Amino acid sequence: MAGINHLEANEVAKRLLTWYVQNKRDLPWRRTKDPYQIWVSEVMLQQTRVESVIPYWNRFMERFPTVESLAVAPEEEVLKMWEGLGYYSRARNLQAAVREVNEKYGGRVPDSLPDMCSLPGVGPYTSGAVLSIAYNVSVPAVDGNVFRVLSRIFLIEDDVSKPAARKKFEGIAEFLIPPGEASDFNQALMEFGARICIPKHPRCETCPVQSLCRGYREGVQDRLPVKGKKKPPRPLDIATAIVWQRDRVLITRRPPEGLLAGMWEFPSCDVSDGNRHEAELTRFFQGKWDVGLQVKSHFANLQHTFSHLHWNVQAYTCEAEAEKIPETDSVKWVTTRELTQFAMPVVHQKLAKSLDGLL
DNA sequence: TACTCGTGGAT
DNA sequence: TATCCAAGAGT
């Protein structure tokens, strides 16, 4: 292995493993060896904090405890269970993958890398994580923690935001795995990164591998890993119509692909071109349902920032001829009570919450 | 390769 | 307050 000898590797691995066994957190998905349940946890944990995932995973396991229970569930119910977690294509891909496992593999989660990796939503990290953690297969599972930990210990200055860096880190991570210890060791790398070798101000004073850490020795641990800077979110102006008909309000379902795919929302349109919101909303309803829309009053102004977008949402209370807007698979008239049954993005949940005062 | 795709918490 | 960013994958 490039610049790392066996003695060094063995010592680093041994100390991380020992530290993990003595210090690991009691997380709910660590109480099971069920590959499906571990898989679900890994998907939920993608780009998401442990504390956020715990209640979602507990509810999800209660409702969908097995591959088959998730495979046969209505997609809308799965999405509702995922509401608030973000990256909703994870839920759609997970169910598609589980259905594939149910049919092609008789309901047993694959224990081979090619099979696992071919499933939708299962990439190089998740496939390695499930195989190693659930089946103890000796494959690497390189996530953001592992990039950070290895880049510091071995002083690697490759830009980890570039896909090319992954190969090098996977090679080292695999090289480090003590024979027969893939499950604990891969989790040790991640747990260590989450608790000791943290992004800012790493706790080097209490670090079990301090004496072996090249980054610490050179005093550069705070500048690792090397990572390209993100672009700021692009601003987007949105106009939203709160359309009432007696005690019911109009909601529509977003398209099955793209931002917030399949989520329900109050009818909205992009008004970033600077046109007047009333005119744009009226045109939107005219084009979609061939119905007139009366914008009554400004209702709320909400800001919401996504990874790459910044929404400025202006919501208006409106009136329209409800008879001309029939319900379909993607159009519903619902009471505020029924609203809670539909998966909505957080920004529209906030609008929904403030609707109660309107009735 | 670079961009898309959410959310809430830490600094 | 602004920025970063957390157990990534798809295109």
Side-chain angles (χ1 to χ4, degrees):
Chain A
M1 180 55 51
I4 305 172
N5 63 48
H6 281 85
L7 236 62
E8 182 183 12
N10 286 343
E11 189 60 24
V12 167
K14 190 178 73 179
R15 293 196 196 180
L16 289 176
L17 200 48
T18 300
W19 175 88
Y20 175 70
V21 170
Q22 295 173 352
N23 295 283
K24 64 179 176 183
R25 289 169 289 182
D26 178 24
L27 303 175
W29 44 88
R30 286 188 176 150
R31 293 174 169 237
T32 179
K33 291 292 282 183
D34 184 334
Y36 160 74
Q37 301 201 346
I38 289 169
W39 178 13
V40 172
S41 78
E42 291 302 336
V43 173
M44 287 185 171
L45 285 161
Q46 292 169 8
Q47 299 293 288
T48 311
R49 296 177 181 284
V50 167
E51 313 83 70
S52 303
V53 167
I54 289 174
Y56 281 89
W57 188 86
N58 284 331
R59 284 194 295 268
F60 207 87
M61 286 305 109
E62 197 170 324
R63 175 60 187 83
F64 309 118
T66 63
V67 165
E68 188 182 353
S69 62
L70 179 57
V72 302
E75 184 188 293
E76 290 220 28
E77 189 180 352
V78 177
L79 198 54
K80 179 66 186 176
M81 297 289 288
W82 210 272
E83 180 185 53
L85 250 193
Y87 287 142
Y88 300 100
S89 65
R90 290 184 296 177
R92 185 185 311 273
N93 284 334
L94 176 60
Q95 192 182 29
V98 158
R99 284 174 171 168
E100 191 173 331
V101 167
N102 211 32
E103 294 163 13
K104 277 177 66 176
Y105 304 100
R108 185 166 191 276
V109 177
D111 60 358
S112 90
L113 216 43
D115 286 346
M116 197 63 206
C117 218
S118 73
L119 297 169
V122 180
Y125 165 73
T126 304
S127 54
V130 172
L131 287 197
S132 61
I133 296 174
Y135 294 119
N136 204 26
V137 176
S138 198
V139 292
V142 176
D143 70 337
N145 289 305
V146 178
F147 276 130
R148 185 171 59 255
V149 169
L150 296 184
S151 71
R152 286 172 176 169
I153 295 179
F154 299 110
L155 215 173
I156 301 167
E157 298 180 277
D158 297 43
D159 186 342
V160 300
S161 65
K162 298 194 181 301
R166 171 172 291 277
K167 277 196 166 186
K168 176 181 288 190
F169 285 88
E170 282 180 341
I172 297 172
E174 183 167 13
F175 181 66
L176 288 175
I177 301 173
E181 301 280 8
S183 178
D184 276 351
F185 179 72
N186 283 353
Q187 293 184 80
L189 274 178
M190 294 187 276
E191 185 83 351
F192 177 73
R195 317 240 338 252
I196 303 293
C197 200
I198 54 183
K200 291 177 180 174
H201 311 301
R203 299 168 178 146
C204 300
E205 281 59 44
T206 61
C207 174
V209 296
Q210 185 200 93
S211 63
L212 300 167
C213 183
R214 301 184 190 178
Y216 180 79
R217 195 177 307 148
E218 303 295 329
V220 296
Q221 69 276 22
D222 282 293
R223 294 189 279 109
L224 293 170
V226 176
K227 190 185 298 188
K229 287 183 180 174
K230 296 176 187 171
K231 294 180 177 177
R234 177 174 82 252
L236 203 59
D237 291 322
I238 305 284
T240 295
I242 310 294
V243 187
W244 287 98
Q245 171 66 6
R246 298 176 19 185
D247 63 338
R248 292 173 183 275
V249 65
L250 182 64
I251 58 173
T252 58
R253 196 175 190 200
R254 294 178 64 89
E257 289 184 354
L259 183 68
L260 302 168
M263 303 289 279
W264 291 85
E265 65 181 7
F266 303 106
S268 303
C269 60
D270 182 355
V271 290
S272 299
D273 54 14
N275 287 342
R276 299 188 67 246
H277 296 177
E278 290 89 335
E280 282 299 310
L281 282 175
T282 301
R283 189 209 312 274
F284 180 67
F285 274 69
Q286 192 64 242
K288 196 169 173 63
W289 292 290
D290 191 27
V291 63
L293 181 78
Q294 290 83 47
V295 178
K296 291 300 182 183
S297 67
H298 182 262
F299 174 63
N301 177 15
L302 291 180
Q303 310 265 111
H304 190 76
T305 303
F306 301 90
S307 315
H308 58 298
L309 290 176
H310 180 81
W311 275 7
N312 186 6
V313 179
Q314 300 284 359
Y316 301 88
T317 53
C318 308
E319 289 179 9
E321 298 174 73
E323 315 80 62
K324 292 189 176 180
I325 306 179
E327 292 197 335
T328 69
D329 285 347
S330 59
V331 177
K332 300 289 179 195
W333 289 96
V334 297
T335 64
T336 52
R337 176 186 298 279
E338 292 166 341
L339 209 45
T340 62
Q341 300 168 20
F342 295 83
M344 303 183 83
V346 165
V347 61
H348 281 262
Q349 285 181 49
K350 288 176 181 168
L351 282 174
K353 200 159 190 176
S354 55
L355 284 186
D356 294 328
L358 229 62
L359 264 179

